Amino acid sequence: MPILAGSDPAALDAAAEALARGELVALPTETVYGLGARADDDAAVAAIFAAKGRPSDHPLIVHVSDAAQAERFAAGLPPVARRLMEAFWPGPLTVIVPRREGIGTAAAGGQDTIGLRCPSHPVARALLARAQALGVAGVAAPSANRFGRVSPTRASHVADEFGAQLLVLDGGDCDVGIESAIVDCSRGRPVLLRPGVLTSAQIEAAAGEPLHAPDGSAPRASGTLEQHYAPHATVRLMPLAQLRTALDVLPADALRASKGSNKLAVYSRSLASVPRGLRLARMPADAQAAAQELFATLRDLDAEGVTLIWVEDPPDEPAWAGVRDRLRRAAAAGR
């Protein structure tokens, strides 16, 4: 099926009807594109795991239209979860809460907790409303890519991953560009399991209490494996000084081999140039702009045939935590 315009009411109706039938649909959110299935149908959710090649015990995030729909899946919403939902929904924040028995078992990876998010993208919201009118309680939707690979931020990225058989709603480029922050609200104190574009200070201010680091009691959550978000090229993170030194001592035969093929790329905020024959991709100096284009840049470099990407370490600042997290996990695959 071709990519359909998310602004087309007929396309939205077709996507909602497909979800109601238990079929897969790719939808845009403000973070990344998701591969969606109705979360109240374990067989439909199983198709997500199969399509992505994702382990069935690695939980998915359920997308809901509002707090009322969230309560279909929650066995009570802890007060801190309600405060975060009021502050950031619709938006790029997922809360993990106790799961209501008998619903969302597959989406939760069999756990007694479940991750819930209310997206702000207008196409996602319109689709959720139409699907809800057809009896769909919520939409489980991990990133629409093969498991462990770079998340998609354009409809064309999804089509590249899954081909023409998947219904894809086109909502344009994703504004945020990296996945939501995830806060576990199920253990009596809020725990940040995955950073996003919201800073810890912003989340703590809304929560009214400090965030804690994960420990052995934290539930499994989406996008928290050590190796994740990886392009086909090997990613290596370096401080700027180390990156400059590496470029200075790069063997001449390596430079000759790279000419015309862009086998080595450099992704940097600080460098204005690299040795001739290498590919320089400029990382924005602004953290939100860097997040918005990060995955698209990695995908573009893969498409160019790059096999190695040297990346300048992002700043060790709160606003950059989400970008640092994604690059660290992308680089873990090459260690």
Side-chain angles (χ1 to χ4, degrees):
M1 181 175 292
I3 296 172
L4 303 179
S7 57
D8 181 358
L12 286 166
D13 287 340
E17 290 163 5
L19 287 172
R21 293 192 299 268
E23 298 172 8
L24 300 183
V25 171
L27 64 149
T29 78
E30 72 278 16
T31 58
V32 300
Y33 275 74
L35 182 64
R38 60 182 304 165
D40 55 352
D41 182 339
D42 286 352
V45 172
I48 295 177
F49 290 108
K52 284 178 63 73
R54 181 186 181 110
S56 61
D57 65 349
H58 194 59
L60 313 177
I61 292 169
V62 175
H63 293 67
V64 294
S65 57
D66 52 27
Q69 195 175 36
E71 291 184 3
R72 286 285 307 276
F73 292 90
L77 291 171
V80 67
R82 289 191 181 275
R83 292 194 292 272
L84 293 175
M85 291 158 62
E86 289 171 2
F88 299 117
W89 280 17
L93 180 79
T94 294
V95 294
I96 293 183
V97 298
R99 179 173 61 85
R100 184 185 297 274
E101 188 176 354
I103 189 170
T105 305
Q111 299 184 114
D112 61 3
T113 57
I114 194 161
L116 302 172
R117 185 168 93 84
C118 176
S120 64
H121 195 291
V123 174
R125 296 191 61 74
L127 177 61
L128 286 170
R130 281 169 163 79
Q132 186 174 9
L134 296 175
V136 175
V139 175
S143 57
N145 54 274
R146 306 293 179 181
F147 183 61
R149 291 299 177 184
V150 181
S151 301
T153 55
R154 300 170 186 157
S156 59
H157 295 163
V158 182
D160 290 343
E161 291 273 344
F162 295 106
Q165 72 275 13
L166 178 66
L167 192 162
V168 181
L169 287 177
D170 188 353
D173 289 2
C174 297
D175 290 336
V176 173
I178 61 173
E179 297 81 359
S180 61
I182 300 178
V183 178
D184 176 18
C185 302
S186 69
R187 297 294 188 271
R189 59 181 188 170
V191 176
L192 181 65
L193 299 185
R194 180 176 72 184
V197 294
L198 297 173
T199 66
S200 293
Q202 289 175 303
I203 297 171
E204 287 178 338
E209 54 186 294
L211 288 170
H212 298 268
D215 59 24
S217 68
R220 297 186 304 276
S222 294
T224 56
L225 295 179
E226 181 61 24
Q227 297 182 16
H228 217 76
Y229 313 112
H232 295 293
T234 298
V235 175
R236 292 181 182 166
L237 280 170
M238 304 181 191
L240 177 59
Q242 181 182 343
L243 177 58
R244 284 180 166 143
T245 299
L247 290 171
D248 286 343
V249 301
L250 197 67
D253 57 350
L255 287 174
R256 285 194 296 271
S258 68
K259 289 180 181 179
S261 60
N262 290 330
K263 295 300 183 184
L264 171 60
V266 178
Y267 190 33
S268 169
R269 296 181 331 282
S270 306
L271 297 178
S273 63
V274 293
R276 186 177 179 182
L278 302 188
R279 168 77 155 87
L280 175 63
R282 296 300 301 273
M283 183 186 296
D286 174 76
Q288 290 198 358
Q292 198 276 335
E293 71 167 40
L294 173 62
F295 289 147
T297 297
L298 295 178
R299 283 180 170 271
D300 288 346
L301 293 175
D302 264 349
E304 293 174 18
V306 165
T307 57
L308 179 61
I309 306 171
W310 288 355
V311 182
E312 178 187 345
D313 277 337
D316 188 12
E317 299 171 2
W320 286 85
V323 172
R324 287 201 315 274
D325 173 80
R326 302 316 188 270
L327 285 171
R328 179 180 65 80
R329 295 180 195 277
R335 289 204 292 268

